[in-house]
mmCIF file of all heavy atoms in Angstrom:
data_model
loop_
_atom_site.group_PDB
_atom_site.id
_atom_site.type_symbol
_atom_site.label_atom_id
_atom_site.label_comp_id
_atom_site.label_asym_id
_atom_site.label_seq_id
_atom_site.Cartn_x
_atom_site.Cartn_y
_atom_site.Cartn_z
ATOM 1 N N GLN A 1 6.807 4.231 -8.706
ATOM 2 C CA GLN A 1 5.911 4.536 -9.823
ATOM 3 C C GLN A 1 4.680 3.640 -9.789
ATOM 4 O O GLN A 1 3.551 4.092 -10.036
ATOM 5 C CB GLN A 1 6.645 4.356 -11.144
ATOM 6 C CG GLN A 1 5.806 4.643 -12.376
ATOM 7 C CD GLN A 1 5.317 6.075 -12.421
ATOM 8 O OE1 GLN A 1 6.114 6.993 -12.539
ATOM 9 N NE2 GLN A 1 4.006 6.275 -12.320
ATOM 10 N N VAL A 2 4.883 2.379 -9.452
ATOM 11 C CA VAL A 2 3.759 1.449 -9.325
ATOM 12 C C VAL A 2 2.775 1.965 -8.266
ATOM 13 O O VAL A 2 1.555 1.923 -8.455
ATOM 14 C CB VAL A 2 4.261 0.042 -8.968
ATOM 15 C CG1 VAL A 2 3.119 -0.863 -8.510
ATOM 16 C CG2 VAL A 2 4.979 -0.579 -10.165
ATOM 17 N N GLY A 3 3.309 2.443 -7.151
ATOM 18 C CA GLY A 3 2.457 2.983 -6.105
ATOM 19 C C GLY A 3 1.654 4.180 -6.584
ATOM 20 O O GLY A 3 0.468 4.333 -6.230
ATOM 21 N N GLU A 4 2.262 5.024 -7.397
ATOM 22 C CA GLU A 4 1.552 6.188 -7.927
ATOM 23 C C GLU A 4 0.447 5.757 -8.885
ATOM 24 O O GLU A 4 -0.651 6.339 -8.883
ATOM 25 C CB GLU A 4 2.530 7.122 -8.636
ATOM 26 C CG GLU A 4 3.481 7.838 -7.689
ATOM 27 C CD GLU A 4 4.406 8.784 -8.426
ATOM 28 O OE1 GLU A 4 4.129 9.073 -9.615
ATOM 29 O OE2 GLU A 4 5.397 9.232 -7.822
ATOM 30 N N TRP A 5 0.718 4.739 -9.700
ATOM 31 C CA TRP A 5 -0.323 4.244 -10.617
ATOM 32 C C TRP A 5 -1.514 3.694 -9.841
ATOM 33 O O TRP A 5 -2.649 3.905 -10.218
ATOM 34 C CB TRP A 5 0.260 3.173 -11.534
ATOM 35 C CG TRP A 5 1.094 3.740 -12.646
ATOM 36 C CD1 TRP A 5 0.971 4.967 -13.224
ATOM 37 C CD2 TRP A 5 2.165 3.087 -13.323
ATOM 38 N NE1 TRP A 5 1.911 5.127 -14.217
ATOM 39 C CE2 TRP A 5 2.656 3.994 -14.305
ATOM 40 C CE3 TRP A 5 2.773 1.834 -13.216
ATOM 41 C CZ2 TRP A 5 3.709 3.668 -15.161
ATOM 42 C CZ3 TRP A 5 3.815 1.505 -14.061
ATOM 43 C CH2 TRP A 5 4.282 2.413 -15.024
ATOM 44 N N TRP A 6 -1.228 2.975 -8.744
ATOM 45 C CA TRP A 6 -2.328 2.475 -7.919
ATOM 46 C C TRP A 6 -3.089 3.633 -7.291
ATOM 47 O O TRP A 6 -4.329 3.639 -7.281
ATOM 48 C CB TRP A 6 -1.796 1.557 -6.816
ATOM 49 C CG TRP A 6 -2.882 1.202 -5.851
ATOM 50 C CD1 TRP A 6 -3.806 0.203 -5.972
ATOM 51 C CD2 TRP A 6 -3.204 1.902 -4.635
ATOM 52 N NE1 TRP A 6 -4.686 0.235 -4.911
ATOM 53 C CE2 TRP A 6 -4.345 1.259 -4.080
ATOM 54 C CE3 TRP A 6 -2.646 2.990 -3.965
ATOM 55 C CZ2 TRP A 6 -4.909 1.684 -2.882
ATOM 56 C CZ3 TRP A 6 -3.220 3.418 -2.777
ATOM 57 C CH2 TRP A 6 -4.335 2.759 -2.247
ATOM 58 N N GLN A 7 -2.359 4.625 -6.785
ATOM 59 C CA GLN A 7 -3.002 5.765 -6.128
ATOM 60 C C GLN A 7 -3.931 6.492 -7.084
ATOM 61 O O GLN A 7 -5.018 6.939 -6.682
ATOM 62 C CB GLN A 7 -1.934 6.722 -5.599
ATOM 63 C CG GLN A 7 -2.490 7.935 -4.868
ATOM 64 C CD GLN A 7 -1.389 8.779 -4.244
ATOM 65 O OE1 GLN A 7 -0.372 8.255 -3.803
ATOM 66 N NE2 GLN A 7 -1.584 10.080 -4.209
ATOM 67 N N ARG A 8 -3.543 6.596 -8.353
ATOM 68 C CA ARG A 8 -4.377 7.292 -9.341
ATOM 69 C C ARG A 8 -5.440 6.381 -9.958
ATOM 70 O O ARG A 8 -6.127 6.774 -10.898
ATOM 71 C CB ARG A 8 -3.485 7.888 -10.440
ATOM 72 C CG ARG A 8 -2.494 8.923 -9.950
ATOM 73 C CD ARG A 8 -1.964 9.758 -11.105
ATOM 74 N NE ARG A 8 -1.264 8.960 -12.101
ATOM 75 C CZ ARG A 8 0.073 8.842 -12.179
ATOM 76 N NH1 ARG A 8 0.840 9.483 -11.305
ATOM 77 N NH2 ARG A 8 0.629 8.121 -13.123
ATOM 78 N N ASN A 9 -5.546 5.163 -9.456
ATOM 79 C CA ASN A 9 -6.521 4.177 -9.936
ATOM 80 C C ASN A 9 -6.260 3.756 -11.374
ATOM 81 O O ASN A 9 -7.166 3.311 -12.085
ATOM 82 C CB ASN A 9 -7.959 4.726 -9.812
ATOM 83 C CG ASN A 9 -8.989 3.608 -9.763
ATOM 84 O OD1 ASN A 9 -8.721 2.506 -9.302
ATOM 85 N ND2 ASN A 9 -10.172 3.883 -10.268
ATOM 86 N N GLU A 10 -4.998 3.884 -11.805
ATOM 87 C CA GLU A 10 -4.624 3.417 -13.128
ATOM 88 C C GLU A 10 -4.232 1.943 -13.097
ATOM 89 O O GLU A 10 -4.266 1.273 -14.136
ATOM 90 C CB GLU A 10 -3.468 4.268 -13.660
ATOM 91 C CG GLU A 10 -3.848 5.733 -13.867
ATOM 92 C CD GLU A 10 -2.668 6.591 -14.251
ATOM 93 O OE1 GLU A 10 -1.608 6.033 -14.629
ATOM 94 O OE2 GLU A 10 -2.778 7.834 -14.168
ATOM 95 N N TRP A 11 -3.853 1.473 -11.919
ATOM 96 C CA TRP A 11 -3.549 0.054 -11.718
ATOM 97 C C TRP A 11 -4.418 -0.484 -10.597
ATOM 98 O O TRP A 11 -4.726 0.232 -9.627
ATOM 99 C CB TRP A 11 -2.074 -0.125 -11.338
ATOM 100 C CG TRP A 11 -1.153 -0.252 -12.507
ATOM 101 C CD1 TRP A 11 -1.307 0.286 -13.744
ATOM 102 C CD2 TRP A 11 0.088 -0.974 -12.524
ATOM 103 N NE1 TRP A 11 -0.237 -0.034 -14.543
ATOM 104 C CE2 TRP A 11 0.633 -0.809 -13.823
ATOM 105 C CE3 TRP A 11 0.794 -1.708 -11.593
ATOM 106 C CZ2 TRP A 11 1.850 -1.380 -14.188
ATOM 107 C CZ3 TRP A 11 2.004 -2.276 -11.952
ATOM 108 C CH2 TRP A 11 2.518 -2.119 -13.248
ATOM 109 N N SER A 12 -4.769 -1.760 -10.723
ATOM 110 C CA SER A 12 -5.538 -2.415 -9.668
ATOM 111 C C SER A 12 -4.605 -2.910 -8.566
ATOM 112 O O SER A 12 -3.373 -2.939 -8.730
ATOM 113 C CB SER A 12 -6.308 -3.601 -10.241
ATOM 114 O OG SER A 12 -5.395 -4.636 -10.635
ATOM 115 N N VAL A 13 -5.199 -3.332 -7.455
ATOM 116 C CA VAL A 13 -4.416 -3.927 -6.379
ATOM 117 C C VAL A 13 -3.692 -5.177 -6.886
ATOM 118 O O VAL A 13 -2.534 -5.430 -6.539
ATOM 119 C CB VAL A 13 -5.323 -4.275 -5.182
ATOM 120 C CG1 VAL A 13 -4.569 -5.091 -4.140
ATOM 121 C CG2 VAL A 13 -5.874 -3.006 -4.549
ATOM 122 N N ALA A 14 -4.366 -5.967 -7.729
ATOM 123 C CA ALA A 14 -3.749 -7.179 -8.262
ATOM 124 C C ALA A 14 -2.509 -6.850 -9.083
ATOM 125 O O ALA A 14 -1.471 -7.528 -8.970
ATOM 126 C CB ALA A 14 -4.762 -7.952 -9.103
ATOM 127 N N GLN A 15 -2.595 -5.820 -9.921
ATOM 128 C CA GLN A 15 -1.426 -5.424 -10.716
ATOM 129 C C GLN A 15 -0.289 -4.958 -9.815
ATOM 130 O O GLN A 15 0.881 -5.282 -10.062
ATOM 131 C CB GLN A 15 -1.812 -4.307 -11.690
ATOM 132 C CG GLN A 15 -2.670 -4.753 -12.854
ATOM 133 C CD GLN A 15 -3.128 -3.576 -13.687
ATOM 134 O OE1 GLN A 15 -3.914 -2.731 -13.231
ATOM 135 N NE2 GLN A 15 -2.631 -3.483 -14.910
ATOM 136 N N GLU A 16 -0.633 -4.187 -8.783
ATOM 137 C CA GLU A 16 0.399 -3.702 -7.864
ATOM 138 C C GLU A 16 1.067 -4.865 -7.144
ATOM 139 O O GLU A 16 2.298 -4.896 -6.992
ATOM 140 C CB GLU A 16 -0.243 -2.732 -6.866
ATOM 141 C CG GLU A 16 0.743 -2.071 -5.910
ATOM 142 C CD GLU A 16 0.978 -2.885 -4.661
ATOM 143 O OE1 GLU A 16 0.069 -3.638 -4.271
ATOM 144 O OE2 GLU A 16 2.083 -2.793 -4.075
ATOM 145 N N HIS A 17 0.286 -5.844 -6.719
ATOM 146 C CA HIS A 17 0.858 -7.000 -6.025
ATOM 147 C C HIS A 17 1.751 -7.812 -6.954
ATOM 148 O O HIS A 17 2.819 -8.291 -6.541
ATOM 149 C CB HIS A 17 -0.262 -7.882 -5.478
ATOM 150 C CG HIS A 17 -0.899 -7.316 -4.250
ATOM 151 N ND1 HIS A 17 -1.837 -8.002 -3.512
ATOM 152 C CD2 HIS A 17 -0.744 -6.123 -3.622
ATOM 153 C CE1 HIS A 17 -2.223 -7.267 -2.482
ATOM 154 N NE2 HIS A 17 -1.574 -6.114 -2.539
ATOM 155 N N ALA A 18 1.320 -7.987 -8.209
ATOM 156 C CA ALA A 18 2.125 -8.732 -9.172
ATOM 157 C C ALA A 18 3.456 -8.032 -9.415
ATOM 158 O O ALA A 18 4.518 -8.672 -9.465
ATOM 159 C CB ALA A 18 1.364 -8.898 -10.484
ATOM 160 N N ALA A 19 3.414 -6.709 -9.566
ATOM 161 C CA ALA A 19 4.645 -5.943 -9.794
ATOM 162 C C ALA A 19 5.578 -6.030 -8.592
ATOM 163 O O ALA A 19 6.795 -6.169 -8.746
ATOM 164 C CB ALA A 19 4.302 -4.487 -10.094
ATOM 165 N N THR A 20 5.017 -5.955 -7.391
ATOM 166 C CA THR A 20 5.837 -6.054 -6.182
ATOM 167 C C THR A 20 6.508 -7.415 -6.098
ATOM 168 O O THR A 20 7.691 -7.519 -5.757
ATOM 169 C CB THR A 20 4.974 -5.812 -4.936
ATOM 170 O OG1 THR A 20 4.405 -4.500 -5.002
ATOM 171 C CG2 THR A 20 5.808 -5.930 -3.670
ATOM 172 N N HIS A 21 5.770 -8.454 -6.415
ATOM 173 C CA HIS A 21 6.354 -9.800 -6.410
ATOM 174 C C HIS A 21 7.519 -9.887 -7.395
ATOM 175 O O HIS A 21 8.581 -10.454 -7.074
ATOM 176 C CB HIS A 21 5.293 -10.835 -6.764
ATOM 177 C CG HIS A 21 5.859 -12.185 -7.079
ATOM 178 N ND1 HIS A 21 6.347 -13.037 -6.112
ATOM 179 C CD2 HIS A 21 6.064 -12.819 -8.274
ATOM 180 C CE1 HIS A 21 6.808 -14.135 -6.676
ATOM 181 N NE2 HIS A 21 6.646 -14.031 -7.986
ATOM 182 N N ILE A 22 7.343 -9.323 -8.577
ATOM 183 C CA ILE A 22 8.412 -9.374 -9.577
ATOM 184 C C ILE A 22 9.639 -8.620 -9.088
ATOM 185 O O ILE A 22 10.779 -9.108 -9.231
ATOM 186 C CB ILE A 22 7.912 -8.811 -10.917
ATOM 187 C CG1 ILE A 22 6.886 -9.763 -11.531
ATOM 188 C CG2 ILE A 22 9.072 -8.583 -11.887
ATOM 189 C CD1 ILE A 22 6.160 -9.199 -12.732
ATOM 190 N N SER A 23 9.437 -7.453 -8.511
ATOM 191 C CA SER A 23 10.581 -6.696 -7.998
ATOM 192 C C SER A 23 11.279 -7.447 -6.868
ATOM 193 O O SER A 23 12.514 -7.416 -6.762
ATOM 194 C CB SER A 23 10.125 -5.309 -7.521
ATOM 195 O OG SER A 23 9.821 -4.479 -8.624
ATOM 196 N N GLU A 24 10.524 -8.135 -6.046
ATOM 197 C CA GLU A 24 11.146 -8.947 -4.996
ATOM 198 C C GLU A 24 11.993 -10.060 -5.598
ATOM 199 O O GLU A 24 13.075 -10.377 -5.095
ATOM 200 C CB GLU A 24 10.059 -9.534 -4.089
ATOM 201 C CG GLU A 24 9.408 -8.490 -3.183
ATOM 202 C CD GLU A 24 8.215 -9.032 -2.432
ATOM 203 O OE1 GLU A 24 7.684 -10.093 -2.841
ATOM 204 O OE2 GLU A 24 7.802 -8.395 -1.436
ATOM 205 N N ARG A 25 11.498 -10.653 -6.675
ATOM 206 C CA ARG A 25 12.266 -11.706 -7.360
ATOM 207 C C ARG A 25 13.534 -11.129 -8.002
ATOM 208 O O ARG A 25 14.585 -11.774 -8.020
ATOM 209 C CB ARG A 25 11.393 -12.369 -8.417
ATOM 210 C CG ARG A 25 10.218 -13.147 -7.847
ATOM 211 C CD ARG A 25 10.668 -14.461 -7.271
ATOM 212 N NE ARG A 25 11.106 -15.357 -8.336
ATOM 213 C CZ ARG A 25 11.936 -16.373 -8.166
ATOM 214 N NH1 ARG A 25 12.445 -16.610 -6.970
ATOM 215 N NH2 ARG A 25 12.271 -17.146 -9.182
ATOM 216 N N VAL A 26 13.439 -9.917 -8.514
ATOM 217 C CA VAL A 26 14.620 -9.264 -9.094
ATOM 218 C C VAL A 26 15.662 -8.997 -8.011
ATOM 219 O O VAL A 26 16.857 -9.244 -8.205
ATOM 220 C CB VAL A 26 14.215 -7.958 -9.807
ATOM 221 C CG1 VAL A 26 15.447 -7.140 -10.176
ATOM 222 C CG2 VAL A 26 13.393 -8.260 -11.045
ATOM 223 N N VAL A 27 15.221 -8.496 -6.864
ATOM 224 C CA VAL A 27 16.142 -8.255 -5.755
ATOM 225 C C VAL A 27 16.826 -9.557 -5.341
ATOM 226 O O VAL A 27 18.039 -9.593 -5.108
ATOM 227 C CB VAL A 27 15.399 -7.636 -4.560
ATOM 228 C CG1 VAL A 27 16.316 -7.539 -3.347
ATOM 229 C CG2 VAL A 27 14.871 -6.253 -4.919
ATOM 230 N N ALA A 28 16.055 -10.630 -5.269
ATOM 231 C CA ALA A 28 16.627 -11.928 -4.897
ATOM 232 C C ALA A 28 17.643 -12.394 -5.932
ATOM 233 O O ALA A 28 18.698 -12.949 -5.571
ATOM 234 C CB ALA A 28 15.509 -12.953 -4.742
ATOM 235 N N ALA A 29 17.354 -12.167 -7.210
ATOM 236 C CA ALA A 29 18.282 -12.584 -8.270
ATOM 237 C C ALA A 29 19.586 -11.803 -8.199
ATOM 238 O O ALA A 29 20.674 -12.368 -8.343
ATOM 239 C CB ALA A 29 17.618 -12.402 -9.636
ATOM 240 N N VAL A 30 19.487 -10.502 -7.974
ATOM 241 C CA VAL A 30 20.692 -9.675 -7.847
ATOM 242 C C VAL A 30 21.496 -10.117 -6.633
ATOM 243 O O VAL A 30 22.728 -10.261 -6.695
ATOM 244 C CB VAL A 30 20.317 -8.186 -7.739
ATOM 245 C CG1 VAL A 30 21.549 -7.342 -7.383
ATOM 246 C CG2 VAL A 30 19.705 -7.691 -9.045
ATOM 247 N N ALA A 31 20.817 -10.364 -5.526
ATOM 248 C CA ALA A 31 21.506 -10.768 -4.297
ATOM 249 C C ALA A 31 22.223 -12.108 -4.456
ATOM 250 O O ALA A 31 23.334 -12.291 -3.950
ATOM 251 C CB ALA A 31 20.505 -10.837 -3.146
ATOM 252 N N SER A 32 21.591 -13.041 -5.138
ATOM 253 C CA SER A 32 22.214 -14.360 -5.302
ATOM 254 C C SER A 32 23.344 -14.335 -6.319
ATOM 255 O O SER A 32 24.259 -15.162 -6.259
ATOM 256 C CB SER A 32 21.153 -15.383 -5.728
ATOM 257 O OG SER A 32 20.601 -15.047 -6.993
ATOM 258 N N THR A 33 23.314 -13.377 -7.247
ATOM 259 C CA THR A 33 24.364 -13.272 -8.259
ATOM 260 C C THR A 33 25.609 -12.605 -7.690
ATOM 261 O O THR A 33 26.745 -12.986 -8.027
ATOM 262 C CB THR A 33 23.846 -12.469 -9.468
ATOM 263 O OG1 THR A 33 22.712 -13.133 -10.016
ATOM 264 C CG2 THR A 33 24.935 -12.350 -10.535
ATOM 265 N N VAL A 34 25.401 -11.608 -6.833
ATOM 266 C CA VAL A 34 26.523 -10.850 -6.258
ATOM 267 C C VAL A 34 26.635 -11.218 -4.777
ATOM 268 O O VAL A 34 25.907 -10.697 -3.942
ATOM 269 C CB VAL A 34 26.314 -9.334 -6.420
ATOM 270 C CG1 VAL A 34 27.518 -8.579 -5.891
ATOM 271 C CG2 VAL A 34 26.035 -8.987 -7.869
ATOM 272 N N ARG A 35 27.537 -12.111 -4.458
ATOM 273 C CA ARG A 35 27.711 -12.551 -3.072
ATOM 274 C C ARG A 35 29.054 -12.033 -2.559
ATOM 275 O O ARG A 35 30.103 -12.334 -3.120
ATOM 276 C CB ARG A 35 27.654 -14.072 -2.985
ATOM 277 C CG ARG A 35 26.341 -14.661 -3.491
ATOM 278 C CD ARG A 35 26.316 -16.167 -3.373
ATOM 279 N NE ARG A 35 26.413 -16.591 -1.984
ATOM 280 C CZ ARG A 35 26.518 -17.874 -1.610
ATOM 281 N NH1 ARG A 35 26.570 -18.829 -2.531
ATOM 282 N NH2 ARG A 35 26.592 -18.183 -0.332
ATOM 283 N N ARG A 36 28.985 -11.241 -1.488
ATOM 284 C CA ARG A 36 30.207 -10.662 -0.923
ATOM 285 C C ARG A 36 30.380 -11.136 0.515
ATOM 286 O O ARG A 36 29.417 -11.131 1.296
ATOM 287 C CB ARG A 36 30.142 -9.131 -0.968
ATOM 288 C CG ARG A 36 30.170 -8.597 -2.399
ATOM 289 C CD ARG A 36 30.049 -7.085 -2.464
ATOM 290 N NE ARG A 36 30.057 -6.623 -3.849
ATOM 291 C CZ ARG A 36 29.791 -5.387 -4.233
ATOM 292 N NH1 ARG A 36 29.488 -4.468 -3.313
ATOM 293 N NH2 ARG A 36 29.829 -5.054 -5.503
ATOM 294 N N LYS A 37 31.598 -11.514 0.850
ATOM 295 C CA LYS A 37 31.869 -11.981 2.205
ATOM 296 C C LYS A 37 31.788 -10.806 3.174
ATOM 297 O O LYS A 37 32.378 -9.752 2.944
ATOM 298 C CB LYS A 37 33.262 -12.610 2.265
ATOM 299 C CG LYS A 37 33.564 -13.278 3.599
ATOM 300 C CD LYS A 37 34.896 -13.989 3.546
ATOM 301 C CE LYS A 37 35.196 -14.673 4.879
ATOM 302 N NZ LYS A 37 36.493 -15.390 4.849
ATOM 303 N N PRO A 38 31.050 -10.969 4.275
ATOM 304 C CA PRO A 38 30.916 -9.853 5.229
ATOM 305 C C PRO A 38 32.266 -9.444 5.810
ATOM 306 O O PRO A 38 33.096 -10.285 6.150
ATOM 307 C CB PRO A 38 30.003 -10.430 6.320
ATOM 308 C CG PRO A 38 29.281 -11.551 5.669
ATOM 309 C CD PRO A 38 30.250 -12.131 4.674
#
């Protein structure tokens, strides 16, 4: 959805980058919370 907002010029590149960073942090938080032995 963030990508679509950027494509339609509703979000700036800066907003898209900030959102991507936050999602990366969320992925890292989920990964560190749920640790499964391979």
Side-chain angles (χ1 to χ4, degrees):
Q1 180 62 65
V2 167
E4 290 182 14
W5 283 332
W6 172 84
Q7 181 174 326
R8 298 197 299 261
N9 203 29
E10 296 174 15
W11 273 29
S12 68
V13 171
Q15 287 174 293
E16 184 272 333
H17 284 187
T20 300
H21 167 75
I22 291 170
S23 287
E24 288 172 343
R25 294 284 291 157
V26 169
V27 173
V30 171
S32 63
T33 300
V34 183
R35 301 181 63 185
R36 293 178 181 171
K37 187 175 181 179

